[in-house]
Amino acid sequence: MGRKFVVGGNWKMNGDKNQINEIINNLKKGPLDPNVEVIIGVPAIYLSYVQSIVPDNINVAAQNCWKVAKGAFTGEISPAMIKDVGASWVILGHSERRTIFGEKDDLIAEKVAHALESGLKVIACIGETLEERESGKTEEVVFRQTKALLPAIGNNWDKVVLAYEPVWAIGTGKTASPAQAQEVHASLRNWLAKNASQEVADSVRIQYGGSVTGSSCKELGACPDIDGFLVGGASLKPEFVEIINATS
Ligand code: PEP
């Protein structure tokens, strides 16, 4: 099937120029497995700066964008602007956008559609809360969130990475077990075979995100349906290199 492992770092609202220089120098030193695609999600204000200092083997992502190219949307940035400063990816639908900023499935779908139309690649995040998991609704939630994305993605699945991030595992230090993560990834792939196509199910890369660390990455990365990680806290630390190299 040949799905290239893809590891994203989500810096969230962290970092200043000094820390950014340290992170990039550490990534430059690597060495990074050349078979892994690396994407770093940077605060909007530093996109241009980071793009100007990263080596070619690292891609830069925004952590959010709005759903039209320009206009009276104070405080927002558009895919056109992200592309204009040389970045090529955007993270959309992160659980912090969903829970803190109230973004719903349909808004996220509109953002995904516009980002793809504008030529950006998208990491689209999905995942259940603890309450939803404990009431047996994990699949229902993950399938609902993914269903909303289907018309937005259309024929652009090759420009999309899905990030399965159980909300209870994000920033909590409580990583999903490899078995828990693999189970959801496999059932999502199965759902995609029925609701998108077998080709999409076989080719789309599904990252796991939620408290991934240097010590949990190898076992998670060895699961057949886990094609990479989206990493928050640990992407700010030197161990991010170890996580990138989890499968080597
Ligand atoms: C994230 O922000 O997407 C994330 C998974 O964070 P953390 O690794 O800190 O749990």
Side-chain angles (χ1 to χ4, degrees):
M1 274 181 278
R3 294 187 297 265
K4 186 172 186 174
F5 210 71
V6 54
V7 177
N10 175 17
W11 294 355
K12 315 194 189 203
M13 196 177 72
N14 292 298
D16 54 20
K17 280 196 182 174
N18 276 338
Q19 191 182 0
I20 288 171
N21 291 339
E22 275 174 32
I23 293 170
I24 302 301
N25 285 338
N26 184 56
L27 290 172
K28 278 184 179 164
K29 197 156 44 102
L32 307 184
D33 182 340
N35 298 314
V36 177
E37 191 169 0
V38 179
I39 306 161
I40 47 177
V42 172
I45 197 162
Y46 294 121
L47 280 170
S48 194
Y49 177 62
V50 172
Q51 187 63 47
S52 74
I53 61 169
V54 285
D56 287 349
N57 58 343
I58 295 175
N59 302 279
V60 177
Q63 298 173 7
N64 184 29
C65 68
W66 191 236
K67 58 179 179 174
V68 298
K70 62 179 178 176
F73 302 100
T74 303
E76 293 290 334
I77 61 167
S78 70
M81 293 168 176
I82 296 165
K83 279 188 69 186
D84 192 37
V85 299
S88 47
W89 286 85
V90 63
I91 300 169
L92 290 171
H94 190 277
S95 79
E96 285 147 24
R97 299 299 317 171
R98 291 178 188 264
T99 57
I100 303 172
F101 301 100
E103 294 191 10
K104 301 274 184 273
D105 292 345
D106 52 353
L107 174 61
I108 294 160
E110 287 179 284
K111 290 182 175 197
V112 168
H114 180 63
L116 291 169
E117 270 161 27
S118 308
L120 282 183
K121 290 179 271 189
V122 173
I123 295 177
C125 306
I126 52 176
E128 81 288 359
T129 62
L130 184 60
E131 197 186 345
E132 289 162 343
R133 171 163 284 261
E134 285 177 345
S135 52
K137 291 191 174 144
T138 298
E139 287 194 341
E140 181 187 323
V141 171
V142 167
F143 297 165
R144 187 205 77 223
Q145 292 170 335
T146 310
K147 187 173 179 202
L149 299 174
L150 294 182
I153 295 172
N155 293 326
N156 287 313
W157 277 97
D158 57 330
K159 299 178 186 68
V160 173
V161 167
L162 294 177
Y164 167 61
E165 300 204 295
V167 180
W168 49 271
I170 298 180
T172 57
K174 212 176 155 187
T175 319
S177 69
Q180 281 174 320
Q182 167 60 26
E183 185 184 24
V184 178
H185 283 228
S187 69
L188 178 58
R189 217 178 278 292
N190 200 26
W191 184 90
L192 284 167
K194 294 193 192 108
N195 293 278
S197 70
Q198 188 63 51
E199 195 196 334
V200 166
D202 289 340
S203 60
V204 72
R205 293 174 296 173
I206 309 176
Q207 294 173 316
Y208 166 76
S211 298
V212 175
T213 61
S215 45
S216 59
C217 64
K218 280 204 181 292
E219 226 190 317
L220 285 161
C223 296
D225 289 291
I226 296 181
D227 308 308
F229 307 117
L230 186 55
V231 184
S235 71
L236 298 162
K237 301 180 188 164
E239 73 183 288
F240 190 48
V241 168
E242 207 181 324
I243 298 173
I244 291 168
N245 295 337
T247 50
S248 43

